Amino acid sequence: MKEEDQIKPSTYSTSEKIIKTVVLVLTWVMIGLFTEITGPTQKDLIIKTDSDYELVSRAISGRSVGYFIGAVIGGPLVDKLGKYCDLMIAVCLDGGAVATIIAPYCTDISLLWFLFVLAGTFEGVINIAGQKIILNLWKEKATGPLHVLHFGFGMGSFIVPQIANPFLAVLAPSGGNSTNTTIAPSVTPPLITSTIAPSSETDIYLKESRIESAYLIVGIIVASLSLVFYIYQFCCRQISEKEKESAEKETVVRKIVKVVDPATCANGDRWFGVQVFVLLFLYFFNAVGGERLYGKFIRSYAIDKHKFSGDDGSLINTEFWICFAIGRFVGLFTGRFIPIRVLILIEVFGALVTAVLLEIFARESDLALWILTAPMGFFVAPLFPSGIGWGDFHVEFTGSAITFVLMGGALGGMSYLWVIGYLYQYQGYDMFLHQMVAYGAIVVLFTILLTIVGKRHGGRFETKGTNDYDYEIDVKGRELQAHGTNIKKPNTISKEDDDQHSPPNYADVVSYTNSVDISLEEKDGYSNTYM
């Protein structure tokens, strides 16, 4: 049984890979349900907590704080206990469901923030464990499956407004006229009043908020999927990567160095690793921040600035998430035929152009807001999976590597919501569109820098030429010299004869690099492999 449990991912059949991917897509649907329910219910949370946009935005940003914590915890867990990824996902789905069910009963902002932190923590662990499974399953072909995986998030996000809408509070028409409302004899509809800054007017609601029911429905749906992962963990064979065993036991310090050293993921090129991970951190900071900004505030902006009804506000929120889901689904096909470096540029420039058009036309035009919300969702959607795909194309994405970039996304989501909460409350509703333009410009800048760095170095799945092999051998040679060991370099082509001869024999290069790894292991027990 032990041998069966340690089957390599490559031994899985295509049908097994597809089934596992579908289950993971459903997991992302669940993430969309329990994390994005705060968007359509934002105004109801203000009523429940008797607060304002700034305070509720800070409470909702607790999800990003928890996401950061989950990323920090999840990376080492996945790297150390990779065979328990299914169990991690199952437990976290149950935890997220419980936090979701309790949340609408909290009238204290601090307690509400804490529950969203818990939900975000569970989301962070699920994100790392699930994406690591996908990367192990599909290897260099993971770009398409990653887009499909995150397509599930869009699916859950556009479903949840429909679940919540029947339970939302209904604002009375302005002026207090209710001539179009039919009321049964001797029945007086409850009127709920709420004072929301910046206007000092008292809002009157025709229907009381019952979002507890919506949160309960979502929690039950999320918890039900965890049963599948318990079955995967205890009744099915596990996906695990076979690790090389070092000749000597590694010290704790060396293990820590391997986790935090960018060279571990960049094939020994530390400077390239530093550039990639710093830029990816900043990229995800803004990509996730902009996604959270539009998804959380489009309904409130439509109602507050454009005077949409509650139903129309929920509808435009749903439109955004439908187009968001379509954008991620289309990524399955574009990822197969368009190079990732080109694809990610198309996506960020599309988001920037749409943000500028929103700023120009949608401030006063309801029609423009309806029309431009669709491309915004479409272009914003694939930025997250494309970022993961771009990173995995250039460096080895271990659990700790995924943790680092997700920390950027978590901080971005928190920061964007804190900023828009203050600006929207005290500087006016149009700050929503101003911040979207800033988001588009910044994410384009960092994507261009990523493209320059990646193009100069090349991808790890691209075919290597003679100079690349020589570079790899030189890197290995420097590692050996640092350990006081000399290995004879295989015969390669001189620079003078480079144009007249074929590249060095690949078997010789592999044999040489393998001998380097073996010598390093014998020297100090360090295995020069990926995490």
Side-chain angles (χ1 to χ4, degrees):
M1 288 300 294
K2 289 184 178 180
E3 294 181 357
E4 293 178 359
D5 290 339
Q6 296 178 353
I7 297 177
K8 295 180 180 180
S10 59
T11 62
Y12 279 71
S13 66
T14 302
S15 60
E16 288 176 316
K17 291 180 181 180
I18 292 174
I19 292 172
K20 188 60 175 285
T21 301
V22 169
V23 173
L24 287 169
V25 171
L26 291 176
T27 304
W28 258 248
V29 173
M30 300 301 108
I31 293 177
L33 289 177
F34 79 80
T35 61
E36 293 305 325
I37 193 172
T38 53
T41 61
Q42 183 184 53
K43 295 180 77 69
D44 291 69
L45 290 174
I46 292 174
I47 298 171
K48 294 284 185 182
T49 57
D50 192 23
S51 58
D52 55 28
Y53 281 110
E54 182 183 15
L55 293 176
V56 168
S57 293
R58 289 185 180 182
I60 294 175
S61 72
R63 172 198 169 189
S64 297
V65 176
Y67 195 74
F68 182 93
I69 297 171
V72 172
I73 296 173
L77 277 177
V78 169
D79 283 341
K80 199 73 176 176
L81 305 171
K83 62 181 180 179
Y84 297 108
C85 280
D86 292 313
L87 182 60
M88 293 179 202
I89 294 175
V91 172
C92 289
L93 283 173
D94 288 335
V98 172
T100 300
I101 292 171
I102 298 175
Y105 294 97
C106 296
T107 57
D108 181 73
I109 284 290
S110 298
L111 184 56
L112 187 64
W113 177 86
F114 176 74
L115 286 170
F116 286 142
V117 168
L118 284 181
T121 301
F122 294 129
E123 179 197 0
V125 176
I126 292 172
N127 237 301
I128 293 178
Q131 289 183 114
K132 186 60 178 175
I133 291 174
I134 286 290
L135 293 175
N136 286 345
L137 276 174
W138 297 99
K139 302 295 184 183
E140 69 275 9
K141 300 178 181 179
T143 299
L146 276 171
H147 278 84
V148 176
L149 181 71
H150 291 278
F151 160 74
F153 179 82
M155 288 280 291
S157 298
F158 85 72
I159 291 172
V160 76
Q162 311 313 311
I163 296 175
N165 198 48
F167 306 102
L168 300 178
V170 176
L171 183 66
S174 58
N177 296 326
S178 56
T179 56
N180 296 328
T181 303
T182 302
I183 303 175
S186 70
V187 176
T188 303
L191 297 180
I192 302 94
T193 61
S194 176
T195 302
I196 301 177
S199 66
S200 58
E201 300 176 0
T202 299
D203 293 327
I204 301 176
Y205 293 88
L206 295 178
K207 189 175 76 171
E208 186 177 0
S209 173
R210 296 183 293 116
I211 57 172
E212 295 87 353
S213 300
Y215 278 70
L216 176 62
I217 292 170
V218 168
I220 292 173
I221 295 173
V222 171
S224 64
L225 185 65
S226 67
L227 297 175
V228 178
F229 285 96
Y230 285 120
I231 293 173
Y232 261 117
Q233 181 65 53
F234 298 112
C235 302
C236 301
R237 57 178 175 166
Q238 298 301 306
I239 301 172
S240 60
E241 290 185 294
K242 186 177 180 180
E243 299 179 355
K244 292 183 180 180
E245 295 182 359
S246 58
E248 298 177 16
K249 188 175 181 180
E250 293 182 346
T251 64
V252 174
V253 174
R254 187 166 294 279
K255 288 180 179 179
I256 296 174
V257 169
K258 286 180 64 178
V259 169
V260 301
D261 189 358
T264 305
C265 300
N267 199 25
D269 192 337
R270 183 173 290 105
W271 175 234
F272 174 65
V274 169
Q275 294 177 77
V276 166
F277 283 112
V278 168
L279 288 175
L280 280 176
F281 183 93
L282 296 172
Y283 169 87
F284 277 95
F285 182 96
N286 291 280
V288 174
E291 173 193 314
R292 300 274 173 86
L293 170 63
Y294 206 90
K296 300 295 185 186
F297 270 83
I298 180 57
R299 183 178 186 271
S300 297
Y301 178 76
I303 293 174
D304 295 332
K305 177 64 187 291
H306 291 267
K307 305 304 178 184
F308 281 22
S309 66
D311 288 342
D312 286 344
S314 296
L315 191 59
I316 197 172
N317 191 34
T318 301
E319 177 197 1
F320 171 76
W321 288 114
I322 288 175
C323 295
F324 187 94
I326 293 172
R328 288 195 167 174
F329 183 74
V330 169
L332 169 64
F333 305 100
T334 56
R336 292 177 63 88
F337 302 107
I338 302 177
I340 187 64
R341 295 191 190 114
V342 176
L343 181 61
I344 198 170
L345 284 171
I346 294 173
E347 293 162 356
V348 296
F349 274 103
L352 174 60
V353 170
T354 306
V356 172
L357 292 176
L358 278 166
E359 175 70 27
I360 296 172
F361 299 108
R363 294 174 66 180
E364 303 298 335
S365 172
D366 295 355
L367 180 61
L369 186 64
W370 277 107
I371 293 174
L372 293 172
T373 290
M376 178 57 73
F378 184 84
F379 286 115
V380 166
L383 294 185
F384 189 99
S386 290
I388 296 291
W390 189 98
D392 191 59
F393 182 79
H394 291 87
V395 295
E396 176 74 10
F397 251 38
T398 63
S400 297
I402 297 174
T403 290
F404 184 75
V405 297
L406 291 189
M407 285 164 57
L411 289 175
M414 178 182 66
S415 301
Y416 268 70
L417 288 179
W418 275 54
V419 171
I420 189 58
Y422 174 81
L423 295 177
Y424 193 88
Q425 184 71 33
Y426 298 110
Q427 302 300 321
Y429 302 135
D430 285 332
M431 295 305 300
F432 169 67
L433 297 182
H434 300 341
Q435 192 170 342
M436 286 303 299
V437 173
Y439 146 75
I442 294 171
V443 79
V444 164
L445 171 63
F446 288 120
T447 303
I448 292 174
L449 293 176
L450 280 171
T451 302
I452 294 172
V453 171
K455 186 66 176 177
R456 291 179 62 184
H457 188 276
R460 65 190 184 99
F461 297 117
E462 292 177 330
T463 303
K464 294 183 179 181
T466 302
N467 293 335
D468 295 308
Y469 286 128
D470 289 339
Y471 173 76
E472 183 175 342
I473 291 173
D474 289 339
V475 171
K476 297 288 186 177
R478 288 196 297 269
E479 291 178 358
L480 282 176
Q481 290 176 4
H483 288 74
T485 305
N486 292 315
I487 290 183
K488 184 179 179 181
K489 183 177 179 179
N491 293 329
T492 55
I493 302 168
S494 64
K495 293 183 179 179
E496 293 79 5
D497 298 333
D498 188 47
D499 296 331
Q500 303 176 9
H501 296 82
S502 59
N505 186 283
Y506 180 70
D508 291 340
V509 176
V510 173
S511 175
Y512 172 74
T513 55
N514 286 343
S515 66
V516 171
D517 289 337
I518 294 171
S519 298
L520 287 175
E521 291 172 6
E522 292 175 350
K523 190 76 178 176
D524 62 2
Y526 172 71
S527 176
N528 186 32
T529 60
Y530 300 126
M531 287 186 289

